[in-house]
Amino acid sequence: MSPDPGPSDLAGEWIQIDEIVAAAAAINNQASLFFALFYRLVLRLFQGDNAGAAALAFEANPTIIGSAGWQGNPPFHFYGGIALILAAEGADPETREKYLAKARAMGEKVAFWASHAPDN
């Protein structure tokens, strides 16, 4: 278990995300690593850890084989973009620009996907 898990950690009686990530990394399962990252990102964002969520969103590669067509990819772009925008507010100028550029790209993807089903 993660030492002293906080409210934005996926650690407890039912799940140990660190163990899942370690097992996926040991066999280089990039899709499982991305799936775990997505759930960590959403939890951190919902718990108010915008900087932690943004760091995950910025480093993630949602185009890896096995995750590009996953139904969690659009929500990853949506919530990742929100995390990046929120964290950009208090970031240094260089990080702010990187975060906002990635948030724009994520927003463009979400808008493109939304154009296929405007009633959703």
Side-chain angles (χ1 to χ4, degrees):
M1 182 191 295
S2 299
D4 192 24
S8 64
D9 293 317
L10 286 169
E13 184 178 349
W14 295 96
I15 188 168
Q16 297 299 324
I17 198 70
D18 293 342
E19 292 175 15
I20 293 168
V21 169
I27 60 171
N28 196 28
N29 186 331
Q30 295 297 307
S32 291
L33 289 169
F34 178 74
F35 302 153
L37 181 144
F38 168 75
Y39 292 112
R40 291 170 53 214
L41 182 153
V42 170
L43 180 61
R44 288 183 181 185
L45 181 62
F46 286 9
Q47 290 292 329
D49 181 6
N50 300 331
L56 292 171
F58 188 77
E59 296 299 326
N61 179 6
T63 63
I64 57 174
I65 294 174
S67 69
W70 176 53
Q71 74 272 11
N73 212 326
F76 165 78
H77 282 78
F78 178 78
Y79 291 117
I82 290 172
L84 289 162
I85 290 167
L86 291 172
E89 187 173 310
D92 63 81
E94 182 181 345
T95 301
R96 176 182 168 78
E97 186 51 42
K98 286 188 216 176
Y99 278 10
L100 291 178
K102 183 139 188 182
R104 277 186 217 98
M106 290 175 140
E108 289 169 5
K109 274 246 192 219
V110 171
F112 174 74
W113 290 324
S115 72
H116 295 295
D119 293 336
N120 285 345

